[in-house]
Amino acid sequence: MRVIDHESQQTLNTGAHPVDIPFLLTRGYNRLCFILFGPAMDTDPSANWMQEAELADLRHDLLRFVRLQLRDDAAMAEDIVQEALVAAYTNRDKFSGRAQVKTWVFSILRNKIVDYFRTNSRRPEQSLTRDDGSEAEINELFDDKGHWNKGLQPKKWGDPESSLENQQFWEIFEICLNGMNEATARVFGMRELLGLETAEICQQLDMSENNCWVVLHRARAKLRLCLEHKWIGAESC
Amino acid sequence: MLSCKDATKLVSQKQDAQLSLMQRISLRLHLMMCSGCKNYERQIDVIHKACRRISGSDD
């Protein structure tokens, strides 16, 4: 049987047994115990759920993901993460493994963030296309003919896969993302973190697709520069 | 002939939209000859992968 979960907009394969909705609702107590006391109080030993350490790791990743986008609203970020975890816990019987739980929770989060941006009409206060000085910084890399200035062309970064396994890379990546101004970060986050198409971003933020590409190009170029300075600099030390 | 500056714009735009045939060919030719822009392209790809990873997707 397949069930559409409205919150995550996902279709979940629940296996051979139909979902018993009243039975799910009676699990409110379990849910409360979980929130207050953690999984140790869970009265259902067969539940496919995470150990405390795994849950803490997942929560950390979820919170980082949300905080990158809801910078000034720490309380809201916590709430969104908690709601998503509770929803995942409530539906835990539907998952066949932890990877599936993780994918599912992240998709809930993405939808919640999109809704948050939409319903609160929280547009960044800065102009979305205003140049914050990035343009000059990027222009300095090139000569009059648009070729890389000597010594400034991008260098090899080594093995990208091993960078992604490196804790220090992630710390720098977060610093660089948080260094973006709010307006740029919004457009970049909607595209690269929430995975929205540029057409939808333009519509929501009331900007032309061309402007959207300009902002995204600027954001990527600046992020790349930041990583090159901080990460590659750190690596060669 | 595409300049490096224009090539970096196309590398970014390629992440968000389908490039025209002309744009694809000129970018491809440029990247074959320019190691700086080739590195740029790889790095933009690392950023994309890092964003995917931080968003809970591993591919």
Side-chain angles (χ1 to χ4, degrees):
Chain A
M1 176 186 171
R2 290 168 82 79
V3 171
I4 307 288
D5 184 294
H6 294 289
E7 202 163 15
S8 70
Q9 302 290 310
Q10 268 198 345
T11 306
L12 294 169
N13 193 338
T14 60
H17 306 290
V19 174
D20 182 347
I21 300 295
F23 176 63
L24 276 181
L25 291 176
T26 61
R27 295 202 165 181
Y29 172 72
N30 279 359
R31 205 168 83 175
L32 191 64
C33 286
F34 162 70
I35 294 167
L36 295 176
F37 307 111
M41 287 294 287
D42 193 344
T43 52
D44 179 2
S46 66
N48 171 27
W49 192 242
M50 287 169 267
Q51 298 299 311
E52 215 161 305
E54 291 171 311
L55 183 63
D57 280 351
L58 178 60
R59 187 177 168 281
H60 169 267
D61 289 352
L62 297 171
L63 204 52
R64 175 176 69 177
F65 175 68
V66 180
R67 282 304 303 274
L68 282 170
Q69 299 170 84
L70 272 61
R71 294 175 169 186
D72 307 326
D73 207 338
M76 178 56 95
E78 294 267 2
D79 284 355
I80 291 180
V81 168
Q82 180 156 317
E83 279 171 36
L85 279 173
V86 167
Y89 182 72
T90 312
N91 290 291
R92 66 195 182 283
D93 293 347
K94 296 178 191 167
F95 306 118
S96 59
R98 296 199 174 96
Q100 214 185 358
V101 175
K102 188 177 165 197
T103 308
W104 196 81
V105 183
F106 266 104
S107 80
I108 292 186
L109 276 189
R110 277 195 286 276
N111 285 318
K112 282 186 184 293
I113 297 169
V114 170
D115 282 349
Y116 173 80
F117 286 157
R118 207 178 272 149
T119 52
N120 291 291
S121 48
R122 285 177 183 268
R123 285 187 53 144
E125 283 175 15
Q126 300 147 328
S127 151
L128 286 160
T129 49
R130 189 179 61 93
D131 175 25
D132 59 346
S134 309
E135 199 70 35
E137 210 178 322
I138 294 164
N139 282 337
E140 276 174 21
L141 298 172
F142 303 100
D143 65 18
D144 294 344
K145 289 184 178 152
H147 296 299
W148 296 105
N149 269 322
K150 212 169 173 200
L152 295 179
Q153 69 251 52
K155 296 162 196 69
K156 273 216 161 93
W157 277 8
D159 176 26
E161 292 303 320
S162 67
S163 299
L164 296 184
E165 301 307 326
N166 186 308
Q167 180 58 33
Q168 201 187 0
F169 172 83
W170 289 107
E171 284 165 18
I172 292 171
F173 191 68
E174 260 182 84
I175 292 172
C176 290
L177 275 180
N178 282 320
M180 279 184 192
N181 74 48
E182 194 197 353
T184 308
R186 172 65 62 88
V187 180
F188 182 80
M190 287 172 100
R191 177 73 194 117
E192 293 279 13
L193 301 176
L194 298 176
L196 300 178
E197 296 298 328
T198 42
E200 190 175 350
I201 300 171
C202 301
Q203 196 199 354
Q204 271 197 44
L205 297 176
D206 196 21
M207 64 198 292
S208 76
E209 203 154 24
N210 215 35
N211 279 339
C212 212
W213 290 328
V214 171
V215 175
L216 286 169
H217 166 57
R218 227 185 256 156
R220 291 185 181 115
K222 197 135 179 235
L223 188 54
R224 188 200 74 82
L225 262 184
C226 180
L227 289 170
E228 185 152 277
H229 290 155
K230 291 191 160 68
W231 167 240
I232 303 307
E235 205 182 27
S236 59
C237 280
Chain B
M1 179 68 194
L2 210 57
S3 72
C4 297
K5 196 175 174 182
D6 290 336
T8 60
K9 280 184 190 156
L10 288 183
V11 164
S12 174
Q13 203 178 324
K14 187 159 67 84
Q15 302 273 341
D16 310 313
Q18 173 92 10
L19 299 182
S20 72
L21 183 62
M22 196 59 199
Q23 286 172 321
R24 287 208 301 275
I25 292 171
S26 50
L27 180 61
R28 190 110 167 237
L29 288 173
H30 184 97
L31 293 178
M32 278 166 61
M33 293 179 296
C34 177
S35 61
C37 288
K38 188 75 205 157
N39 287 337
Y40 187 92
E41 189 196 33
R42 289 200 187 105
Q43 291 160 9
I44 294 302
D45 193 49
V46 172
I47 289 173
H48 178 68
K49 285 198 173 119
C51 286
R52 298 273 302 160
R53 186 77 70 92
I54 223 169
S55 311
S57 320
D58 285 333
D59 51 323

